[in-house]
Amino acid sequence: MHEVSMGGTLRDYLSGEEMDETTYEEFRQVLAKLLVEEHGYPKESLKAKVDLCFDIDGAEMCRMIDLVISDTAGLPILLVMFCAGDVGSYEREAVCAGKLFQGGPVPYVVITDSMDAFLLDAISGKTIAHGMRSIPDYKDLLHMVADYKREPLPAERRTKIERIFYTYTGFLQGTCCSDSCSLPPINKIELKRMPKTENRLKMKK
């Protein structure tokens, strides 16, 4: 299942602005509220629906990340990816996303369906914890990344990881089978091919 418009609007928890209601947006709102109100994340540390862009045979492809959490310097330290289905089956895809995300590699990734969750170490690829309680508080997360040193991936290794990531997300491209997929392309959760010159949301380094 991919993200489709529900034809209505809702108020965004982070910005307070009206936005399109979609099949996944309610879950993003729940997760953002959970992080802020139960785990102490400052609203300004969260960005929603950020494109992770990567290269496949000279073509730029983008996959949307539901929530990106930054540290006090504005560097990404945690990705939150919503998944519909068996949460555990998204582990390798999520680890690849952490390695490839701009401004990263990002050390930690949470995958969740809002009822279950896995906390992953994106650098080692290991699962650290399982269950909704595995989501760290913001202060704990800052402590977890205090000694983290960002080292860009070597070009050859990055290319390999991009291809692995594409095998997990590439099937989403062009899967819309009806007029119900009425979101503008930039808001779709599925992988999309984007021109090099097209503007897109990027994390501030």
Side-chain angles (χ1 to χ4, degrees):
M1 179 182 178
H2 56 284
E3 188 169 21
V4 297
S5 175
M6 300 295 288
T9 61
L10 50 77
R11 188 170 298 279
D12 181 45
Y13 176 77
L14 295 176
S15 68
E17 299 177 355
E18 291 291 322
M19 61 188 307
D20 288 332
E21 180 184 11
T22 71
T23 48
Y24 287 176
E25 193 56 54
E26 183 177 355
F27 294 105
R28 285 194 200 96
Q29 298 297 319
V30 168
L31 291 171
K33 186 174 182 179
L34 174 73
L35 291 174
V36 172
E37 298 186 6
E38 296 190 24
H39 293 281
Y41 287 68
K43 280 189 178 182
E44 59 271 20
S45 72
L46 276 69
K47 290 185 181 296
K49 297 192 291 188
V50 181
D51 277 342
L52 188 174
C53 296
F54 58 101
D55 184 86
I56 296 294
D57 296 329
E60 189 172 46
M61 314 297 287
C62 290
R63 169 72 155 85
M64 192 182 70
I65 304 299
D66 295 284
L67 292 169
V68 178
I69 291 83
S70 299
D71 63 13
T72 54
L75 294 172
I77 52 176
L78 176 70
L79 306 182
V80 179
M81 299 175 66
F82 173 75
C83 48
D86 179 10
V87 180
S89 67
Y90 287 77
E91 289 182 71
R92 194 172 187 192
E93 177 185 348
V95 166
C96 289
K99 286 181 167 62
L100 296 174
F101 194 81
Q102 54 268 22
V106 178
Y108 298 103
V109 182
V110 166
I111 48 175
T112 179
D113 62 356
S114 78
M115 294 181 290
D116 193 12
F118 286 78
L119 175 63
L120 310 173
D121 182 327
I123 307 306
S124 68
K126 295 180 179 179
T127 299
I128 300 174
H130 177 209
M132 292 303 291
R133 291 186 178 182
S134 67
I135 300 175
D137 291 343
Y138 189 64
K139 289 183 179 179
D140 293 335
L141 179 61
L142 291 179
H143 179 73
M144 290 163 62
V145 301
D147 298 323
Y148 176 62
K149 296 180 180 180
R150 293 169 199 273
E151 297 182 1
L153 294 173
E156 184 177 349
R157 187 181 178 206
R158 181 178 179 88
T159 297
K160 290 180 180 179
I161 296 174
E162 286 175 333
R163 290 195 174 280
I164 293 171
F165 189 56
Y166 183 69
T167 63
Y168 283 96
T169 61
F171 74 94
L172 291 170
Q173 186 179 3
T175 57
C176 186
C177 55
S178 73
D179 293 335
S180 63
C181 300
S182 57
L183 287 175
I186 195 64
N187 289 332
K188 288 185 180 180
I189 195 171
E190 67 261 35
L191 194 70
K192 49 190 177 292
R193 188 183 301 267
M194 296 180 68
K196 291 285 187 182
T197 57
E198 185 172 336
N199 291 329
R200 59 183 183 274
L201 184 60
K202 290 185 176 179
M203 294 294 300
K204 293 182 180 179
K205 294 186 179 180

